[in-house]
Amino acid sequence: CLLGVAGAAADDALAAERRDPGFCGDTRATVERRLDRLLARMTLAEKLDQMHGVGAFPTGLAGRIAGVPRLHIPGIGMLDGARGVSAVSGTATCFPVGMARGATWDEALEERVGEAIGVETRARGGSMILAPVVNILRHPRWGRAQETYGEDTLHLGRMGVAFVRGAQRHVIANPKHYALNSIEDTRFTVDVAVDERSLREIFLPHFRRAVQQGHAGSVMAAYNQVNGEHCSENTHLLRDVLDGDWGFQGFVESDWILGTRSTVPAVEAGLDVEMPSPGYFGKPLTDAVRAGQVRLRTIDAAVRRTLRAQLCFRLDTDPPKVDPAQVESPAHVALALQAARESIVLLRNEAGALPLDPARVRSLVVVGPLAAMADLGDHGSSLVVPASAVSPLDGIRARAGGVTVTYVGASSPSPTDLSLIAAADAAVVVVGLTFEDEGEGQITIGDRSSLALPRDQDALVGAVAAANPRTLVVLEGSGALLMPWLGQVSAVLMAWYPGEAGGTAIAEVLFGDVNPSGKLPVTFPRAESDLPPFDNASPAVQYGYFHGYRYLDRNDTAPLFPFGFGLAYTTFRYSNLGITPATVSPWGRVQVTADVTNTGPVAGDEVAQLYVGYAGSRVARAVRDLKAFARVHLEPGETRTVPFEVRARDLAYWDAGAGAFVVEPIAYTVEVGPSSRDLPLAGAFAVSP
Ligand code: BGC
């Protein structure tokens, strides 16, 4: 017996979601009446002009939809970005990349980052930010891995919602790229085949959250194909799911230049706006309407969506005002620093090598070309150019106080360099990836060619470790890297692309001013062969139900570092799991509590994670799925009871036969702990009608 969530109570919940006024809030009814009047007064040409951009990269913007001055329709000015406002408009605060912010697991902080980026977008003349990227990291070699938040749909969705909420206090947000965009080298053409269950459970729920909980005003369709249709003309993705099932009220725009692939099929499928220039939606659309191939009702419905966003976000009465003083303000730079602090993941710390003990470490050698550069990430559409940025070396020098700092910049140390390295009390070697190793396809380098460190950096780490027994490795890049030298080094910090204040945050962690609290939002495997294959050359690929930690768990493969993992300069103990009720209905909620105690010497933050497993499910399930998480701050000796909530309907699987989510009446195991592979607390509850 299966319990459909399309039962009466679930219907009520869905109906409530549909009544939700969304991004219009309480102005919705007024706006709809204005839209009726506007549509009645607009000429066909004016309407069709709302359905495309004015041209690629108009001055200071990534794209623009023109206004209609005679009707006080303001139009929309669009700017990228995923880690700050993109360089096309000038300088801006460069935040840590999305993956780094994913490692904070801090939704409140991400909302503030979204808000700051929203403020800077307006201050640079934009009214819409082409962010957040909420594509699942299916494989860590994806060239744009850095722009998204991680490999897990719940974590990704919650971080994306936080960004949308913050940004939309000021501008329209644009979750992208809908959907299954996770290969760069073939991104314009690749056809991703996926079964409906994987689509509904793995690749779409974070978009649903961004739309239904974040109330995103727009969504960007991806370049790639899904099951034989490009995303911008994919009736199933746009009409059935986004519009039909989720009740999306905003507008859908294509990705830039090669994102729109047809005229009539795209309009009929639910693409509202072609960006950045009129191609298929220019004269061909006018001709198609005149020839009766597209009904006026369809045009009106599309234009209504774009206008609704403009009016609900008050772009007519409160247009963006250019204001350089709002850009890279001290408050925003401080926020970028805070995000970098919380994002750094301590992966290894042998014999208390970190934090640096000023009594034992009087001299430090900083090694590697990357140490002297602010490694900010991709140079594609997400490029942000801050007015200034702190490299790890700058940060360490500024913090070092009485500790002597020597820099060895060679990528291959000479005998003299090696004696300098050997003479220091500790060596910090900075290695990793840059924009030359991974990035947006076609514009920059595209997908990574392997998970290994490029440019002989493994040899560099090996040489430093052989010379200095206290070798501390700082890694930069989008994510998973292989570490053949791991056993030879004392400590490893994953610092990602840490943004303009990254060097300061790295130094603060090294010297112990900041207790590291980041947790991996992506699995680091021991070998690439432990992951599902990544094919960045074929015109067609197949995506399955398992990737990331769920793939390794299923195959009982030990990762190098598991999803959710991160050490601190203190220790945490988990105790007292509470689960109520023991049995819940398919539309009920389970309250789970766990006590977390800081058992170490310093204050710190812990990200507690709750995973659910499925005993006796009739379908293939993950060993465990992340279903809740919480970041808590604990003083030494302090215990806090951390509350989590699990909705039974979030345990449903997609029954392709029934075409609906169903919740099984089985036992659900609950595990709570500090990472996906360290779950000291376990219990269970049941679902029953
Ligand atoms: C990228 C989008 C970006 C757009 C505009 C495209 O190449 O895929 O993410 O928003 O360019 O710059």
Side-chain angles (χ1 to χ4, degrees):
C1 157
L2 297 169
L3 311 170
V5 283
D11 276 351
D12 287 351
L14 290 176
E17 273 168 10
R18 293 216 166 231
R19 280 195 303 273
D20 185 333
F23 54 79
C24 280
D26 52 16
T27 62
R28 177 69 191 271
T30 322
V31 165
E32 295 303 328
R33 283 194 296 275
R34 278 186 67 196
L35 291 174
D36 290 339
R37 291 196 296 274
L38 275 176
L39 286 165
R41 293 178 63 197
M42 288 171 84
T43 65
L44 178 63
E46 285 169 341
K47 289 177 182 173
L48 293 175
D49 278 351
Q50 292 298 299
M51 294 184 66
H52 59 73
V54 298
F57 299 96
T59 317
L61 294 168
R64 186 160 69 83
I65 299 176
V68 186
R70 82 173 180 96
L71 296 173
H72 307 290
I73 293 171
I76 303 178
M78 305 175 186
L79 279 166
D80 281 292
R83 63 176 191 262
V85 178
S86 88
V88 298
S89 71
T91 55
T93 307
C94 184
F95 290 91
V97 293
M99 190 62 74
R101 283 150 33 217
T104 70
W105 300 59
D106 188 337
E107 295 157 280
L109 181 70
E110 184 60 9
E111 192 167 329
R112 289 170 60 207
V113 170
E115 168 139 38
I117 294 177
V119 166
E120 295 199 7
T121 302
R122 268 177 73 89
R124 286 289 186 214
S127 45
M128 173 160 153
I129 183 78
L130 304 176
V133 174
V134 284
N135 289 115
I136 281 269
L137 184 71
R138 184 170 178 279
H139 194 289
R141 278 177 51 202
W142 180 34
R144 297 180 79 173
Q146 61 191 271
E147 292 184 56
T148 192
Y149 296 108
E151 70 182 31
D152 177 84
T153 178
L154 173 90
H155 167 266
L156 179 55
R158 281 177 50 172
M159 297 303 287
V161 166
F163 182 97
V164 171
R165 283 192 179 139
Q168 289 201 161
R169 295 205 186 98
H170 306 279
V171 292
I172 305 168
N174 184 232
K176 67 186 187 183
H177 313 77
Y178 183 71
L180 291 104
N181 180 177
S182 43
I183 299 172
E184 283 309 284
D185 294 351
T186 51
R187 67 174 175 158
F188 296 134
T189 50
V190 65
D191 184 10
V192 184
V194 64
D195 63 281
E196 192 65 15
R197 192 177 156 221
S198 302
L199 189 67
R200 298 280 186 159
E201 291 180 41
I202 309 299
F203 294 102
L204 297 187
H206 37 284
F207 279 102
R208 177 178 176 153
R209 279 177 191 272
V211 164
Q212 292 189 333
Q213 295 175 18
H215 296 141
S218 69
V219 163
M220 185 189 290
Y223 287 121
N224 51 282
Q225 305 180 60
V226 172
N227 292 332
E229 285 181 339
H230 277 282
C231 290
S232 58
E233 53 188 32
N234 195 305
T235 306
H236 186 52
L237 286 179
L238 299 181
R239 285 267 182 245
D240 300 348
V241 179
L242 181 61
D243 183 21
D245 292 350
W246 302 349
F248 178 56
Q249 300 292 323
F251 69 92
V252 178
E253 63 168 352
S254 70
D255 202 342
W256 263 232
I257 306 188
L258 286 173
T260 308
R261 295 291 179 146
S262 63
T263 302
V264 178
V267 172
E268 292 296 343
L271 180 69
D272 302 310
V273 178
E274 175 184 23
M275 289 305 293
S277 317
Y280 290 104
F281 280 22
K283 185 168 180 307
L285 183 54
T286 310
D287 293 347
V289 174
R290 294 221 165 101
Q293 293 167 317
V294 176
R295 286 166 307 171
L296 272 173
R297 286 176 45 192
T298 308
I299 299 298
D300 279 359
V303 174
R304 175 179 280 270
R305 287 173 175 276
T306 311
L307 294 180
R308 179 185 292 131
Q310 295 178 47
L311 298 189
C312 289
F313 283 87
R314 298 183 177 85
L315 305 186
D316 52 341
T317 54
D318 188 17
K321 290 184 195 63
V322 173
D323 180 3
Q326 299 277 342
V327 177
E328 241 180 324
S329 63
H332 290 180
V333 176
L335 187 60
L337 174 59
Q338 183 60 18
R341 286 174 178 146
E342 289 190 26
S343 75
I344 292 173
V345 184
L346 179 62
L347 293 174
R348 177 179 170 88
N349 195 12
E350 291 303 290
L354 287 178
L356 293 170
D357 176 354
R360 281 192 296 169
V361 178
R362 302 305 307 150
S363 61
L364 202 57
V365 59
V366 178
V367 186
L370 260 58
M373 112 184 209
D375 191 12
L376 301 179
D378 185 25
H379 284 194
S381 61
S382 69
L383 174 69
V384 177
V385 178
S388 67
V390 184
S391 71
L393 181 61
D394 293 342
I396 290 167
R397 282 202 168 125
R399 170 60 183 81
V403 177
T404 314
V405 177
T406 313
Y407 176 53
V408 170
S411 51
S412 175
S414 66
T416 319
D417 293 336
L418 287 173
S419 44
L420 281 174
I421 292 167
D425 293 336
V428 175
V429 54
V430 183
V431 289
L433 309 173
T434 72
F435 66 93
E436 291 179 296
D437 306 307
E438 57 180 349
E440 191 168 339
Q442 327 297 326
I443 305 175
T444 72
I445 188 82
D447 297 310
R448 266 203 269 170
S449 54
S450 92
L451 296 184
L453 277 173
R455 297 184 298 280
D456 270 343
Q457 294 179 94
D458 285 331
L460 174 61
V461 179
V464 176
N468 191 310
R470 194 188 296 265
T471 292
L472 317 164
V473 180
V474 175
L475 292 171
E476 295 180 327
S478 67
L481 290 161
L482 304 180
M483 304 177 205
W485 34 258
L486 187 63
Q488 296 152 247
V489 303
S490 301
V492 181
L493 286 180
M494 181 68 201
W496 317 99
Y497 295 112
E500 68 174 275
T504 305
I506 289 168
E508 289 174 339
V509 169
L510 290 172
F511 285 94
D513 309 329
V514 166
N515 186 354
S517 58
K519 301 261 187 158
L520 294 181
V522 48
T523 302
F524 280 34
R526 288 183 187 276
E528 191 179 333
S529 54
D530 291 343
L531 300 176
F534 180 70
D535 187 344
N536 55 332
S538 306
V541 296
Q542 174 106 37
Y543 280 9
Y545 188 72
F546 294 97
H547 71 272
Y549 69 92
R550 302 159 79 262
Y551 187 87
L552 270 74
D553 285 353
R554 181 173 171 79
N555 296 333
D556 209 8
T557 307
L560 187 62
F561 296 108
F563 176 81
F565 176 79
L567 302 169
Y569 296 152
T570 188
T571 44
F572 299 101
R573 189 182 63 230
Y574 284 71
S575 60
N576 274 343
L577 185 68
I579 303 177
T580 47
T583 302
V584 70
S585 76
W587 45 88
R589 290 157 193 262
V590 179
Q591 310 302 329
V592 178
T593 52
D595 288 352
V596 183
T597 305
N598 182 347
T599 49
V602 286
D605 283 12
E606 167 68 333
V607 178
Q609 300 155 45
L610 183 156
Y611 294 81
V612 168
Y614 315 84
S617 172
R618 73 200 306 253
V619 290
R621 295 272 196 148
V623 175
R624 60 183 66 85
D625 282 317
L626 180 74
K627 288 295 174 190
F629 60 87
R631 181 181 254 270
V632 281
H633 178 80
L634 293 164
E635 295 298 321
E638 185 183 355
T639 298
R640 279 198 196 212
T641 301
V642 182
F644 306 93
E645 184 176 83
V646 180
R647 300 190 310 179
R649 57 192 264 234
D650 290 339
L651 308 172
Y653 76 89
W654 179 260
D655 183 335
F661 276 105
V662 295
V663 182
E664 294 178 282
I666 56 173
Y668 294 88
T669 55
V670 173
E671 295 171 291
V672 176
S675 88
S676 65
R677 287 285 175 120
D678 183 6
L679 297 162
L681 305 184
F685 65 89
V687 171
S688 135

